[in-house]
Amino acid sequence: MSDRPSPDGVAPTPQHIRAGIVAYAAGDALGVPWEGSTPEEVRWEALEALPARGDWPRGATSDDTAQLLLVAEYLAEANGQVDERAFLGRLAKALPTMRGAGPTTQAAVRRFLATGELQAAEGSSIGAAMRALPFGWATPVAAAAHRRELTGRLSRTTHGAPEAIISACVVAEMAAWAIEQHPIDAVVAAGIREADHLARLYSLRPAALQPLQQAASGEWAPSTAEMATDAMTTVASVLYVLREAMSLATAMKHAVALGGDTDTTAAIVGGILGCQLQDVTADIPWLPRVLLPESALIEATATGLQNLRQSLCS
């Protein structure tokens, strides 16, 4: 495989990956206070203040950011040679300190610790998709089959439903296109192609992809995002926001304004748009109030993913 991006793409740098991670965390923190809210309950004028959620520190990120970094670190350290047992062991060790971890992921970890089971038989929530961006950042667009295999293998450790795995692969595909600096309409189109491809492989009924297709075409009704927790609806929210995105900060705020799974939607939007920049510091007004992961960890993770990407390109 050549050390080139896809036609008309641009080779990314560790700074692009770092910007994606930081923007992801900023979107996570922006959405945390409003998770589970209806659109009517989200107060646009209060978003950038990052009001506290319960007893969480103001500006806190959730398990979304923690799991994204966990996957990114693991991919880099494993040099892309993933092992489900090793990944679940790492997830089990980290899970107790994660704020807001979902019931599907918690159940999968309990099952692993009790029985050693490495694959979930069910689970259609967003947990696999929310941590899927590193698979795209670490693999060139041309490495679609390898990216799909990596994403699917680690997704199945906690989420076994085809809808969850497809959603994760869609997010990974969009990340791969975004970080090579393709226009957002091409990024969205790549995600839809990936969904269509996997739906055929899983013999999924056509109606299952309808939210994604409608969101990508602008025909989707945002009100369907209210209180939704399934992967397909959350990824549809992401597509809906991306196709209308004018700026990084405004797009993340629009993601939260949809209600529902506000932190995950805004985080994924932030990660996809943020990785097209080399520095997002000036683009996110509320960034100084975000309790970001340690900068050394972000830098090391970004460099590790870039090194993995280069090894796959060689």
Side-chain angles (χ1 to χ4, degrees), residues 21-36:
I21 294 172
V22 170
Y24 184 98
D28 185 10
L30 185 74
V32 156
W34 310 97
E35 185 180 17

Side-chain angles (χ1 to χ4, degrees), residues 25-182:
D28 185 10
L30 185 74
V32 156
W34 310 97
E35 185 180 17
S37 300
T38 64
E40 294 75 23
E41 292 170 333
V42 177
R43 293 187 295 121
W44 182 273
E45 72 281 0
L47 292 181
E48 293 187 17
L50 305 186
R53 168 182 171 179
D55 60 355
W56 292 25
R58 184 181 177 189
T61 58
S62 73
D63 67 308
D64 293 33
T65 298
Q67 290 198 49
L68 179 101
L69 282 170
L70 185 144
V71 167
E73 285 183 279
Y74 177 69
L75 276 178
E77 291 175 17
N79 198 30
Q81 303 300 310
V82 300
D83 175 85
E84 290 88 342
R85 187 175 302 278
F87 172 73
L88 277 168
R90 184 173 292 206
L91 179 59
K93 184 177 180 180
L95 194 62
T97 64
M98 292 182 184
R99 295 188 185 96
T104 303
T105 297
Q106 293 187 55
V109 168
R110 287 195 302 269
R111 183 170 55 248
F112 166 69
L113 293 174
T115 69
E117 179 60 48
L118 301 180
Q119 292 190 354
E122 54 188 17
S124 60
S125 60
I126 195 64
M130 76 186 193
R131 63 186 190 229
L133 287 167
F135 298 110
W137 291 337
T139 54
V141 163
H146 185 57
R147 175 168 53 256
R148 193 176 297 126
E149 178 192 7
L150 290 176
T151 307
R153 285 180 61 182
L154 291 195
S155 295
R156 289 187 191 94
T157 59
T158 56
H159 293 71
E163 293 85 352
I165 297 167
I166 291 171
S167 297
C169 289
V170 167
V171 170
E173 186 73 7
M174 290 195 295
W177 282 73
I179 203 164
E180 290 189 10
Q181 309 301 298
H182 289 279

Side-chain angles (χ1 to χ4, degrees), residues 279-307:
D279 186 355
V280 296
T281 304
D283 296 272
I284 305 174
W286 63 91
L287 190 59
R289 292 185 285 280
V290 178
L291 299 180
L292 289 169
E294 292 182 5
S295 59
L297 172 60
I298 295 175
E299 296 289 349
T301 301
T303 300
L305 288 181
Q306 177 66 9
N307 290 340

Side-chain angles (χ1 to χ4, degrees), residues 209-302:
L209 295 187
Q210 193 172 39
L212 303 187
Q213 294 164 340
Q214 289 180 336
S217 66
E219 299 172 357
W220 184 68
S223 60
T224 60
E226 292 179 17
M227 311 300 286
T229 58
D230 66 284
M232 284 289 188
T233 302
T234 301
V235 174
S237 300
V238 170
L239 292 169
Y240 180 83
V241 173
L242 288 176
R243 71 178 300 277
E244 300 289 343
M246 299 299 292
S247 72
L248 173 59
T250 301
M252 287 190 283
K253 292 171 71 173
H254 279 152
V256 176
L258 293 178
D261 197 355
T262 51
D263 53 343
T264 302
T265 305
I268 296 175
V269 167
I272 289 173
L273 295 177
C275 75
Q276 297 200 309
L277 305 170
Q278 293 207 35
D279 186 355
V280 296
T281 304
D283 296 272
I284 305 174
W286 63 91
L287 190 59
R289 292 185 285 280
V290 178
L291 299 180
L292 289 169
E294 292 182 5
S295 59
L297 172 60
I298 295 175
E299 296 289 349
T301 301

